[in-house]
Amino acid sequence: MGAHVQVSALRIEAGAKGAEQTIVHDLSFSIAPGEVLALIGESGSGKTTTALAMMAYARSGCRIASGSVRIGDTEVLALDEAGQRALRGRRVAYIAQSAAASFNPSRSIMDQVVEPALIHATATRSDAEAKAVALFRELALPNPDTIGSRYPHQVSGGQLQRLMAAMALITDPELVILDEPTTALDVTTQIEVLRAFRRVVRERRTTAVYVSHDLAVVAQMADHILVLRDGQKRELGATSQILAAPSHDYTQKLLAAARPKVRQSSACVAATAQTPLLEVRQLSAGYGPCDRQGQPKVLILEDINLTLYRGQAIGVIGESGSGKTTLARAIAGLLSPCRGELLLQGQPLPPTLQQRTKEELRRVQIVFQMADTALNPSQTIERILARPLQFYRGLSGEALQRRIRELLDLVKLPMAVAGRLPGGLSGGQKQRVNFARALAAEPDLILCDEITSALDTVVGAAVLDLIAELRRDLGLSYLFISHDLHTVRSVCDEIVVMQHGRKLAQVARADYERGPHHPYYELLARSVPELRQGWLDEQAAAA
């Protein structure tokens, strides 16, 4: 049974002494034993900072300035270092967003799952291993008796996320903190993990804090929702009340951003007699050395055909490993196909960057999923945008500065960001800079690879609106890659469905709501959480 949790007047500050900035403002809330409280809000709202403070932990550069956190009869913030070590992993457990980054690749899964029980002496090795196997069964993991002997790289992302939950639960903690635990998963994997998490939390009556920006997910998991913005409480209420009748205008904004929206563009064109902008013919690609027949060691894509016209947006959907990103990399010239050909406006497009002319490079640009790794952290935004303008357009001086201002204006960023480094920008701002860099080349085609998957709901919706607006104003064409069918439907004229490196189907906008479609398309459609309570139960009943 979980503990009663009481947080009172919690204040967290960042910055040097004398120049502190408050990032969580006198926050108060309580959680009844066995209930789940969701913390929601945009990036920078203080969700994770608040959750970590419940373990008496503050990230580098931050400090818990004042307030109270009580778990049962324990005042957490009054504990010394030894008391904090005894608390963390025993009475309070934390499930991080990225399980892959949290496991040691050199140790077996079982060694790592039982470690908290051995550190806190809650069980012997043999008892801990038996308990771990029981948890593997509870969490619906395959081969529960033997999966512990594997290493992290030998299981899928969804399985690793559930294994992390087993590690958190093995000491029977009173409070479990789940920090965006399904954000990095594709939709079909996410639904499996959500079912497992919710079943275990319900059956064990564990008190839980669920940190997320995804209201549809929160609707399935939480009893109550606390809405945060700029480190302040905007609204707190039962999940049913928040979803049906939110009182704060910011909560209303979050709900509006989370609901599916069609971003139709007048630039949309039908397949006519005009020459296609891009043709992909019988494209196959993979990784590793090729054999004598030119077959790579690992074949990822097989015989992909695709036609995209100027002004069109085509979505490519599928689970992780379906070949979506490999297709984008092959079109961008980052990966040389082993078979097939690419045509750009009827002319052969060389397979690699090194073989393409400057003009061919300019016309096809790619925007990557993670803006953090796509932008040079040591270069200012001005320098990042100046480089393609100098390379493709030969701009300098006032003409260069004017175009940088125009690009920032196009992506709705203030000129003040030009002098900043990427680390000084939010996730949404960095993704807009990513877009501005692609636009600097004045391309015909932009390849968008999961560009909103790492963004919160409001920021992601704003980026999608920007894509539709630029398409309408500039006549851009997009190949939009995602695992989220609702996102793809909102911006694309057609959807290509991929699985195991093959194209299974292609669905036009007019047929989105008409069926029947390919069973895999229907599975993806069913797996996107809906913004209402009870949806997950309905899926479990139908499974």
Side-chain angles (χ1 to χ4, degrees):
M1 184 71 173
H4 182 270
V5 176
Q6 180 70 51
V7 175
S8 304
L10 180 66
R11 177 178 288 261
I12 302 173
E13 297 176 344
K17 197 74 174 176
E20 300 94 343
Q21 178 184 0
T22 302
I23 56 176
V24 173
H25 300 257
D26 301 322
L27 192 60
S28 298
F29 59 88
S30 63
I31 316 172
E35 289 198 338
V36 179
L37 173 71
L39 303 181
I40 69 165
E42 298 173 72
S43 298
S45 62
K47 305 186 299 294
T48 295
T49 301
T50 298
L52 291 174
M54 298 172 74
M55 304 170 66
Y57 179 81
R59 289 181 286 194
S60 177
C62 301
R63 69 184 187 91
I64 302 171
S66 60
S68 169
V69 175
R70 296 190 69 83
I71 298 176
D73 296 327
T74 302
E75 174 51 64
V76 172
L77 301 186
L79 295 172
D80 59 16
E81 288 189 6
Q84 291 173 7
R85 288 195 296 271
L87 176 88
R88 297 169 186 162
R90 172 63 186 91
R91 296 181 62 193
V92 183
Y94 181 76
I95 300 175
Q97 178 173 351
S98 175
S102 303
F103 275 84
N104 185 332
S106 67
R107 297 176 61 204
S108 74
I109 286 166
M110 183 60 81
D111 278 349
Q112 297 179 72
V113 169
V114 301
E115 187 175 47
L118 302 183
I119 288 174
H120 293 284
T122 62
T124 64
R125 174 78 191 209
S126 60
D127 287 345
E129 289 191 3
K131 189 171 185 178
V133 172
L135 280 167
F136 298 161
R137 286 199 177 91
E138 278 189 73
L139 290 162
L141 283 156
N143 306 310
D145 293 319
T146 58
I147 194 171
S149 63
R150 300 184 195 175
Y151 287 80
H153 70 277
Q154 294 175 315
V155 299
S156 71
Q159 290 168 0
L160 203 59
Q161 206 70 19
R162 281 177 278 173
L163 289 162
M164 189 180 223
M167 189 193 309
L169 294 167
I170 199 163
T171 58
D172 296 316
E174 299 166 43
L175 173 66
V176 176
I177 298 168
L178 301 98
D179 191 356
E180 301 271 16
T182 63
T183 298
L185 305 178
D186 60 57
V187 288
T188 52
T189 305
Q190 175 180 255
I191 194 172
E192 293 176 3
V193 173
L194 286 176
R195 284 174 184 160
F197 281 0
R198 209 212 17 210
R199 182 176 60 252
V200 169
V201 167
R202 277 183 173 178
E203 290 175 355
R204 290 171 170 262
R205 297 293 297 159
T206 303
T207 304
V209 172
Y210 197 100
V211 177
S212 181
H213 61 252
D214 191 330
L215 272 163
V217 167
V218 163
Q220 316 311 317
M221 298 294 295
D223 300 296
H224 292 83
I225 294 175
L226 171 58
V227 182
L228 294 172
R229 188 182 192 189
D230 300 327
Q232 299 184 53
K233 177 167 68 178
R234 303 296 175 171
E235 187 166 358
L236 173 62
T239 301
S240 56
Q241 176 262 307
I242 295 286
L243 295 180
S247 59
H248 197 281
D249 57 358
Y250 178 65
T251 311
Q252 295 166 8
K253 178 183 175 184
L254 287 176
L255 285 165
R259 291 192 170 97
K261 173 184 175 184
V262 176
R263 296 169 172 88
Q264 182 66 63
S265 171
S266 59
C268 172
V269 295
T272 65
Q274 67 171 296
T275 302
L277 175 64
L278 174 73
E279 290 179 85
V280 179
R281 296 180 177 174
Q282 298 293 305
L283 190 75
S284 297
Y287 297 93
C290 295
D291 60 21
R292 292 179 180 177
Q293 287 73 42
Q295 182 90 344
K297 184 175 182 179
V298 180
L299 187 66
I300 304 296
L301 291 180
E302 193 168 359
D303 297 329
I304 301 297
N305 291 285
L306 180 69
T307 301
L308 185 147
Y309 289 85
R310 185 175 295 278
Q312 230 183 350
I314 292 182
V316 181
I317 65 166
E319 296 171 277
S320 297
S322 62
K324 306 184 302 294
T325 294
T326 301
L327 175 61
R329 288 174 59 83
I331 294 171
L334 298 171
L335 174 68
S336 182
C338 59
R339 290 191 302 275
E341 62 178 338
L342 300 167
L343 299 179
L344 186 64
Q345 206 118 29
Q347 299 300 311
L349 185 64
T352 65
L353 290 176
Q354 294 78 7
Q355 295 170 300
R356 293 182 185 180
T357 65
K358 184 185 290 189
E359 179 65 6
E360 289 166 337
L361 292 172
R362 180 193 69 77
R363 296 181 67 187
V364 180
Q365 295 288 310
I366 186 167
V367 179
F368 295 98
Q369 177 176 1
M370 300 302 294
D372 282 325
T373 56
L375 300 176
N376 188 328
S378 66
Q379 297 285 335
T380 65
I381 303 307
E382 180 179 20
R383 179 67 193 129
I384 288 169
L385 296 182
R387 189 171 182 183
L389 293 172
Q390 293 166 329
F391 180 74
Y392 291 117
R393 298 299 178 192
L395 297 183
S396 61
E398 176 54 32
L400 176 64
Q401 294 302 313
R402 183 170 60 251
R403 185 55 181 155
I404 290 173
R405 290 194 295 269
E406 290 171 353
L407 287 169
L408 290 173
D409 187 57
L410 268 177
V411 298
K412 295 180 172 56
L413 285 175
M415 188 59 193
V417 307
R420 297 186 200 171
L421 296 173
L425 274 60
S426 70
Q429 288 174 323
K430 282 182 275 197
Q431 199 61 291
R432 287 169 185 265
V433 171
N434 236 356
F435 246 94
R437 179 171 60 182
L439 292 171
E442 299 182 23
D444 298 318
L445 172 64
I446 297 182
L447 310 169
C448 302
D449 187 7
E450 298 273 17
I451 60 170
T452 61
S453 64
L455 303 179
D456 61 60
T457 305
V458 172
V459 176
V463 170
L464 293 177
D465 288 338
L466 173 67
I467 287 171
E469 184 177 324
L470 294 174
R471 180 181 167 205
R472 181 178 61 249
D473 295 345
L474 304 179
L476 289 172
S477 300
Y478 294 105
L479 193 70
F480 194 94
I481 291 167
S482 179
H483 61 251
D484 185 339
L485 189 57
H486 287 175
T487 297
V488 171
R489 279 177 166 179
S490 77
V491 296
C492 296
D493 310 308
E494 297 183 17
I495 296 174
V496 169
V497 184
M498 291 184 63
Q499 186 181 37
H500 305 317
R502 286 185 170 272
K503 176 181 170 182
L504 299 183
Q506 187 159 347
V507 182
R509 177 182 290 279
D511 297 323
Y512 284 178
E513 305 300 332
R514 296 195 300 233
H517 296 301
H518 191 283
Y520 183 61
Y521 176 94
E522 300 289 356
L523 172 64
L524 292 175
R526 290 195 306 270
S527 300
V528 181
E530 295 181 10
L531 190 56
R532 58 184 178 85
Q533 288 183 292
W535 174 85
L536 192 60
D537 292 323
E538 292 172 10
Q539 300 307 304

